[in-house]
Amino acid sequence: MQEIQDPEIETEIMARLRAKYASKRRKPSVDGIHLTTLIYCITQPFWYDKMDFIPTDQEVLYWAVGLGLEEVLLQDEAASNRPAPRVIDGIVISPDYLMLLGGALAELKTSRLRMSKEGYPTYGWSETWKAQMKGYSYGYGMLDYRLAVLQVAQARIYGWRFSFESKELDEFWAQMCWRRDRLLEALGRGLPPEPFAYCAEWECKRCPALILCEATKNAGAYVPKPITTTGGQS
């Protein structure tokens, strides 16, 4: 028996995944910007709206793992248990799952990080996961939200319940509306939101638009971030 590395099959599979990724990637519009677009860097979706980028293999594969989980659990012709998306204040929200017992909303996530035997992540919960659950809780008028995490390496699912306060959700939604306005303003003016002003540092590391942000930042060709706001941002 011989074993020979075959890049042809790698290329073909990646091409199929890239085609699916491109067809499902969300773009902002005045009709509705998805909540997950506003949770992350809002400068990146400006660039993605203006030009086509080739995503890295890692970005596509991470996306494919999450999509695979959703399709296995939710793509059921009899009952998908996925609530219909809503548009609130021009922001699209689309929870993953509606529980059969009690009608609670839930989010499905995959993780490669180590977790304790109780299912608590070693480095704490993802801030973007919590933000997503806050937004969906606000949009559906619920204070409790469920989370199911598939830990890939351990091949185990952990379930958690997050409880929020009404004031906490109101303040969070005001922030999302403020970020929505900044993105729409930039799209309308044809200039990007101020680079590096609306993101966490880690988001820039694998971003294909990084070189554009650096260039426009140096040239001053962007919409400056307001110094004061009414949306809880600074």
Side-chain angles (χ1 to χ4, degrees), residues 65-82 96-98 100 106-110 147-151 156-158:
V65 171
L67 179 65
L69 174 64
E70 289 186 13
E71 291 191 345
V72 168
L73 292 180
L74 302 179
Q75 300 303 319
D76 186 337
E77 294 181 1
S80 70
N81 286 84
R82 188 166 202 160
D96 283 342
Y97 191 71
L98 181 67
L100 295 173
E107 205 63 19
L108 308 174
K109 298 293 185 183
T110 60
L147 174 66
V149 182
L150 171 61
Q151 211 293 333
R156 179 175 173 180
I157 287 183
Y158 297 94

Side-chain angles (χ1 to χ4, degrees), residues 11-22:
T11 301
E12 182 169 324
I13 295 299
M14 285 304 306
R16 290 175 61 86
L17 289 176
R18 285 180 182 280
K20 289 185 177 182
Y21 181 88

Side-chain angles (χ1 to χ4, degrees), residues 4 26 29 33 38 41 47 72 85-87 89 91 109-110 123 150 162 165 176 202 207 209 225:
I4 303 173
R26 303 183 180 106
S29 74
I33 300 174
L38 299 174
C41 174
W47 294 121
V72 168
R86 293 182 179 180
V87 181
D89 298 328
I91 300 174
K109 298 293 185 183
T110 60
Y123 300 104
L150 171 61
F162 289 75
E165 298 180 358
M176 293 300 102
W202 62 265
C207 180
K225 182 178 181 180

Side-chain angles (χ1 to χ4, degrees), residues 53-129:
F53 286 90
I54 299 177
T56 64
D57 286 355
Q58 188 177 54
E59 181 181 354
V60 174
L61 290 171
Y62 282 165
W63 168 84
V65 171
L67 179 65
L69 174 64
E70 289 186 13
E71 291 191 345
V72 168
L73 292 180
L74 302 179
Q75 300 303 319
D76 186 337
E77 294 181 1
S80 70
N81 286 84
R82 188 166 202 160
R86 293 182 179 180
V87 181
I88 300 176
D89 298 328
I91 300 174
V92 181
I93 55 176
S94 55
D96 283 342
Y97 191 71
L98 181 67
M99 292 183 64
L100 295 173
L101 183 62
L105 292 174
E107 205 63 19
L108 308 174
K109 298 293 185 183
T110 60
S111 176
R112 292 163 296 279
L113 298 178
R114 294 184 60 183
M115 305 183 80
S116 68
K117 62 180 181 179
E118 295 82 14
Y120 190 83
T122 304
Y123 300 104
W125 293 110
S126 163
E127 291 299 321
T128 54
W129 289 7

